[in-house]
Amino acid sequence: MAVECAEIRRHHRVGIKDIAGIHLPTNVKFQSPAYSVDTEETVEPYTTEKMSRVPGGYLALTECFEIMTVDFNNLQELKSLATRKPDQIGVPVIKEGILDAVVVWFVLQLDEEHSLSTSPSEETCWEQAVYPVQGLADYWIKPGDHVTMEASCEDCYLRIQNVNVLGMEHEMEVVKTFTKNKDLSLGNEADLCSALANLQTSKPDAVEQTCVLESTEIALLNNAPYHEGFQTAMRKVLSSLTPETRCQGNELCCGTGQSSPEPFYVLDVSEGFSILPLIAGTLGQVKPYSSVEKDQHRMTLDLISEANHFPKETLEFWLRHAEDESAVLQRPKSDKLWSIIILDVIEPSGLIQQEIMEKAAISRCLLQSGGKIFPQYVLMLGMLVESQTLVEENAVQGTECTLGLNIAPFINQFQVPIRAFLELSSLPCIPLSEPVELLRLDLMTPYLNTSSREVKVRICRPGQVTAIPFWFHMCLDEEVRLDTSSETSHWKQAAVVLDNPIQVQTGQELLVSVQHHKSNVSITVKQ
């Protein structure tokens, strides 16, 4: 079915034109790997989501429709799947909304009487396949419109391609064209759908740069508070640096007027595509350096820089200058230091980046007087919850679901200590406590860090404590904080699931022990 889903949209379409003073030009087109089926970036032509738990939910814009039927006992049919022409599909729209994706699931017919469904309306272990819709001039659809697409099974993947919207007025024009030459019988339905799919696909004359980004990178671009927070924090640091610190040893530039002041050097070593160096470039006499690795990303940043009228060579790509790519953290020049270094502290999965404290230690040695690492410190927050969903997804429970077979002792040996990539906002759970601060990681002032901490947590409602979800506040300074659990966040959250649930009552206090060692966190709960 075709759906409207804001969560899918923000992970697969850049819906913002201006980000913290940076304008994204129209000749730069961002795409997610799930859409870019003709590039080497593609691994699978779809992504997957558990649609029943997608944050914000979704709206079905069409009825459920059949894409294809495959008989796995028919060898000849299976062989022909990869070579047969794509099936043309046209589906009427039943509700108005924004066309964000086509969601696909399967009905597995075991025999004439028994079947299994992976539908989002079923209680099932399966996720659904999501084909994001991109490249349309207008995504708004309404009853009377038709959504057309092509379905094929090239290279063993089910592909949903060439998704288009056919309005009522266009449908009548195509019908008139076809009726002049042939009857619109059932045999000509595929020809009609093919013609409809070719509508509204005219190509612009302007040369466009396509930039393929991971879904988390697209969500990051759409995260306005993230970029505005960095803009505010960087402006405060740069404005606080005095002319003396700015000269960094250049005696001529301070008071004699015989030489211009040295620029502020800003290094962004966050992973993946980032426009933070460009934002830094808008804050005065700044020399920003980006650590992006892919040529496609560099070309895109150059185009954005040009569209925003930056002087040529304002933005530098640090890996072209670094003596050793494995040692990215170096001085900008032999006699210069950085004013700001931006580090990636939290992975998109919701876990702490590996070796982050070691990188922070090196970064502190490369800062000029008054310079800062961003974020300056990170707070880890968590709460006690009751979640049967996490319990069942974390370990095999008993023998009832395995028809009496006792496989739990073996399978559960391989369970992970921490569940990552969680969406706390849509996770089925009952909060049993208020959020509390569990840990502080200080990148600028390491003596404030401790490897272990115990926190008393007060229970606010009775229940069974089964897990401790946690997330982070990225503190760029004392005033600017980025919450990794907010609805605009590109980060996921994580949780520790207890081996044995703890029965609690209102007013009771539990002792939560947090251990931090080499970027790994462990959490235990004591009564």
Side-chain angles (χ1 to χ4, degrees):
M1 64 183 172
V3 302
E4 173 183 327
C5 179
E7 184 70 6
I8 293 174
R9 186 189 318 141
R10 77 183 186 96
H11 278 84
H12 295 278
R13 290 207 299 266
V14 176
I16 193 168
K17 298 300 182 185
D18 295 280
I19 310 174
I22 296 297
H23 176 70
L24 301 181
T26 56
N27 63 323
V28 173
K29 304 295 181 184
F30 295 100
Q31 293 181 353
S32 69
Y35 178 80
S36 308
V37 294
D38 296 324
T39 74
E40 61 182 13
E41 302 289 338
T42 301
V43 177
E44 295 175 336
Y46 52 82
T47 183
T48 60
E49 292 282 353
K50 201 167 186 64
M51 294 301 295
S52 61
R53 279 169 35 193
V54 69
Y58 66 92
L59 174 66
L61 302 177
T62 67
E63 298 282 5
C64 303
F65 56 90
E66 183 177 314
I67 293 177
M68 64 175 60
T69 299
V70 178
D71 184 353
F72 287 96
N73 290 311
N74 188 327
L75 183 59
Q76 185 175 358
E77 180 179 331
L78 291 175
K79 288 181 177 179
S80 67
L81 277 178
T83 57
R84 78 182 191 189
K85 292 183 178 180
D87 295 334
Q88 309 291 330
I89 300 172
V91 190
V93 175
I94 60 171
K95 290 184 180 178
E96 67 177 357
I98 301 172
L99 177 57
D100 292 317
V102 176
V103 177
V104 174
W105 64 90
F106 299 88
V107 176
L108 312 174
Q109 199 69 42
L110 304 182
D111 56 27
E112 294 299 325
E113 298 179 0
H114 302 90
S115 65
L116 297 174
S117 173
T118 69
S119 164
S121 62
E122 300 283 341
E123 286 295 330
T124 173
C125 60
W126 284 291
E127 295 182 334
Q128 291 75 46
V130 174
Y131 295 82
V133 176
Q134 299 182 40
L136 297 183
D138 186 5
Y139 295 91
W140 184 261
I141 60 177
K142 60 188 182 301
D145 295 341
H146 280 71
V147 177
T148 66
M149 66 199 75
E150 294 180 353
S152 63
C153 276
E154 300 173 33
D155 54 29
C156 300
Y157 287 119
L158 174 62
R159 296 187 181 275
I160 306 295
Q161 297 173 293
N162 296 328
V163 178
N164 281 285
V165 178
L166 178 68
M168 180 64 72
E169 64 280 2
H170 292 109
E171 181 180 9
M172 294 305 298
E173 290 176 7
V174 174
V175 170
K176 289 178 182 178
T177 301
F178 268 74
T179 52
K180 287 180 180 178
N181 301 307
K182 51 178 87 172
D183 294 331
L184 286 175
S185 61
L186 289 177
N188 293 324
E189 182 179 351
D191 294 327
L192 174 60
C193 288
S194 179
L196 301 183
N198 289 327
L199 290 173
Q200 301 177 338
T201 58
S202 59
K203 297 181 179 179
D205 295 331
V207 176
E208 297 179 349
Q209 168 68 28
T210 299
C211 182
V212 179
L213 300 179
E214 296 297 328
S215 60
T216 53
E217 293 174 316
I218 292 179
L220 173 56
L221 268 183
N222 285 320
N223 189 346
Y226 173 92
H227 295 98
E228 291 165 358
F230 268 97
Q231 181 188 45
T232 299
M234 287 191 291
R235 180 182 286 115
K236 285 195 284 187
V237 169
L238 297 177
S239 64
S240 70
L241 297 176
T242 64
E244 287 74 22
T245 60
R246 187 172 180 176
C247 291
Q248 299 192 74
N250 187 344
E251 296 178 357
L252 290 177
C253 76
C254 298
T256 66
Q258 297 181 28
S259 178
S260 61
E262 283 287 334
F264 296 119
Y265 292 95
V266 175
L267 174 62
D268 178 11
V269 292
S270 55
E271 296 184 7
F273 186 82
S274 171
I275 66 166
L276 291 180
L278 294 178
I279 294 174
T282 66
L283 301 177
Q285 194 168 348
V286 175
K287 186 65 176 176
Y289 286 80
S290 168
S291 63
V292 297
E293 300 180 22
K294 296 180 181 179
D295 289 337
Q296 184 186 82
H297 292 177
R298 292 177 180 179
M299 291 173 61
T300 299
L301 287 175
D302 277 337
L303 283 175
I304 297 174
S305 178
E306 180 181 340
N308 285 270
H309 310 294
F310 282 95
K312 196 173 182 181
E313 307 300 333
T314 294
L315 176 66
E316 295 280 359
F317 296 106
W318 181 235
L319 294 182
R320 292 177 180 172
H321 300 270
E323 297 176 3
D324 181 4
E325 288 194 8
S326 64
V328 176
L329 292 170
Q330 305 174 29
R331 288 170 173 254
K333 295 180 181 179
S334 60
D335 60 338
K336 306 300 176 187
L337 293 168
W338 299 103
S339 300
I340 295 173
I341 297 178
I342 301 171
L343 299 179
D344 246 349
V345 179
I346 307 302
E347 297 177 355
S349 65
L351 300 178
I352 299 174
Q353 285 274 7
Q354 293 297 304
E355 300 182 348
I356 187 58
M357 301 312 292
E358 292 82 353
K359 292 177 182 177
I362 297 173
S363 298
R364 287 192 296 272
C365 300
L366 301 175
L367 291 174
Q368 71 170 92
S369 176
K372 300 294 182 183
I373 297 172
F374 284 156
Q376 296 188 41
Y377 62 95
V378 174
L379 300 178
M380 176 179 170
L381 292 90
M383 64 180 176
L384 307 180
V385 303
E386 178 177 339
S387 175
Q388 188 61 25
T389 297
L390 278 180
V391 170
E392 294 176 356
E393 292 181 354
N394 192 63
V396 177
Q397 305 297 313
T399 60
E400 182 180 353
C401 294
T402 53
L403 303 180
L405 296 175
N406 188 23
I407 65 172
F410 172 72
I411 295 295
N412 291 346
Q413 295 181 58
F414 303 98
Q415 68 187 61
V416 294
I418 296 180
R419 285 287 311 279
F421 291 103
L422 294 178
E423 288 284 4
L424 186 55
S425 64
S426 60
L427 176 71
C429 69
I430 302 172
L432 301 180
S433 76
E434 296 294 331
V436 295
E437 181 182 319
L438 298 177
L439 188 68
R440 175 185 171 119
L441 298 178
D442 201 305
L443 281 67
M444 284 296 298
T445 317
Y447 66 82
L448 295 177
N449 295 322
T450 57
S451 59
S452 62
R453 187 184 183 200
E454 289 189 337
V455 182
K456 286 185 178 181
V457 182
R458 186 177 180 83
I459 299 300
C460 63
R461 65 183 297 172
Q464 273 196 334
V465 178
T466 61
I468 306 100
F470 59 88
W471 61 97
F472 299 89
H473 283 177
M474 308 264 288
C475 301
L476 306 186
D477 56 33
E478 292 298 332
E479 298 174 344
V480 181
R481 295 188 176 191
L482 305 175
D483 185 350
T484 66
S485 68
S486 71
E487 62 179 13
T488 61
S489 171
H490 62 284
W491 290 287
K492 305 293 186 185
Q493 296 82 53
V496 171
V497 182
L498 303 184
D499 292 330
N500 300 301
I502 300 175
Q503 192 72 38
V504 293
Q505 299 296 327
T506 303
Q508 184 178 346
E509 286 188 340
L510 297 185
L511 193 63
V512 177
S513 176
V514 184
Q515 305 284 333
H516 174 251
H517 179 65
K518 292 186 177 180
S519 301
N520 295 314
V521 172
S522 62
I523 303 176
T524 57
V525 181
K526 306 173 185 176
Q527 286 183 295

